[in-house]
Amino acid sequence: MTVVVRATVCPDQVLEEAGAFLASDPVAHNLILTLLRSRMAYPEPGRYWVVEIDARTSGVVFQSPLHFIATVTPMGAQAVTAAVEAIADEGVSLPGVSGQAATAALFAGHWSEKTKSPVHPVQAQRIYEAVRVVPPRDANGTLRQATSDDRSLLVEWLQAFHAEIGKSVGDPAQVVPRRLRAGQLWLWDDHGPAAMAGLSDAVAEVVRVGPVYTPAARRNCGYASALVAGISSAARTRGERPILYTDLGNPTSNSIYRAIGYHAVVEVLRYRFGRAP
């Protein structure tokens, strides 16, 4: 058995070498697929590793920006071991890893052994897919696509969302204009904007919902449920498969998404490397 790990800083090279592998499971691989395409359109420094076993792609590791944790595709123990060995031997100091539960746990465990570093699980998530959409209870208001007139409010809401979840996923002042231009941000209006949601472009017919945010003063009115149901239903009408990530530490959001037709696909774990904060 021949195991090869190739490192690159070029997202287009990853898609060229591992594109067919990533497209073979577009739900499990959606995050990496969309991020690779985003890096090609909006360049940002990154590191990527493609693992091959007997000349067949068996896994991909994605890290961008360079201070973010790595994201890994599902892969077997041999591929995980090879990836950890190669990354550590390069002298790369990863701050953590996120991926399907079994893969992330294997990666974190081997990283700890290889680098003599402690690891700490910090978040459990679940990927859901809407195999059908169940209209929620009536919510006052209407669904609309966000426009440039909503930019300031959306930046403020995305900053608040990041503060609530305790992590930042890009600078809102840059993310919001980019997603507005791409037509990826949606609002539920009830005498003014009441909730927001993002919807990624389709990759291998899969679209990802998120972030979803309702300001505190407008919660418990069904706005987010109606918004997510609306954009998910529209996606399915186009022949797309809507998915989303939830925090398993938030039973409320998990129950809301299940109520509108989302079904669990797989669990995702996130680990931090180094001393506990």
Side-chain angles (χ1 to χ4, degrees):
M1 180 178 295
T2 304
V3 182
V4 176
V5 180
R6 285 196 298 277
T8 180
V9 296
C10 302
D12 54 338
Q13 182 179 340
V14 181
L15 285 172
E16 181 179 346
E17 295 180 359
F21 163 78
L22 292 170
S24 69
D25 190 345
V27 171
H29 300 159
N30 176 265
L31 182 59
I32 287 180
L33 271 168
T34 54
L35 287 173
L36 285 168
R37 292 188 176 217
S38 177
R39 293 301 180 268
M40 290 176 64
Y42 307 99
E44 189 165 348
R47 304 185 185 101
Y48 318 102
W49 296 267
V50 177
V51 185
E52 286 189 355
I53 297 180
D54 292 336
R56 296 185 62 180
T57 303
S58 297
V60 173
V61 181
F62 175 105
Q63 189 200 21
S64 178
L66 297 178
H67 63 281
F68 273 31
I69 67 173
T71 300
V72 297
T73 64
M75 60 181 100
Q78 290 173 320
V80 169
T81 299
V84 169
E85 295 283 335
I87 295 169
D89 288 345
E90 286 180 38
V92 173
S93 180
L94 293 178
V97 69
S98 177
Q100 186 172 322
T103 301
L106 280 170
F107 194 106
H110 194 66
W111 185 268
S112 180
E113 291 181 0
K114 175 69 176 179
T115 65
K116 305 297 187 293
S117 170
V119 302
H120 310 274
V122 292
Q123 187 182 39
Q125 295 178 301
R126 174 173 276 180
I127 300 176
Y128 283 89
E129 179 179 356
V131 295
R132 63 190 178 96
V133 178
V134 179
R137 64 181 175 85
D138 290 340
N140 294 328
T142 56
L143 169 70
R144 71 170 174 88
Q145 194 167 33
T147 71
S148 58
D149 292 339
D150 304 302
R151 175 176 171 173
S152 296
L153 178 64
L154 290 171
V155 169
E156 178 185 330
W157 281 6
L158 189 54
Q159 289 170 336
F161 173 76
H162 287 172
E164 277 196 15
I165 65 174
K167 64 181 179 182
S168 175
V169 187
D171 179 2
Q174 296 180 6
V175 171
V176 167
R178 187 166 70 221
R179 298 200 71 175
L180 282 172
R181 288 193 298 270
Q184 296 178 348
L185 294 175
W186 296 81
L187 290 167
W188 190 265
D189 255 345
D190 181 20
H191 301 287
M196 65 165 279
L199 187 69
S200 72
D201 288 338
V203 178
E205 299 183 343
V206 173
V207 292
R208 189 173 70 256
V209 176
V212 178
Y213 178 75
T214 306
R218 309 212 68 177
R219 292 176 186 172
N220 302 313
C221 297
Y223 297 137
S225 294
L227 174 53
V228 172
I231 61 177
S232 301
S233 180
R236 285 190 53 78
T237 299
R238 295 191 297 269
E240 299 164 352
R241 301 169 62 186
I243 68 169
L244 53 78
Y245 282 70
T246 67
D247 183 349
L248 285 174
N250 186 339
T252 300
S253 64
N254 282 267
S255 63
I256 286 172
Y257 296 132
R258 287 195 299 269
I260 61 176
Y262 276 85
H263 292 260
V265 176
V266 69
E267 282 65 48
V268 172
L269 291 180
R270 180 186 298 265
Y271 290 84
R272 280 283 176 186
F273 301 156
R275 292 185 301 169

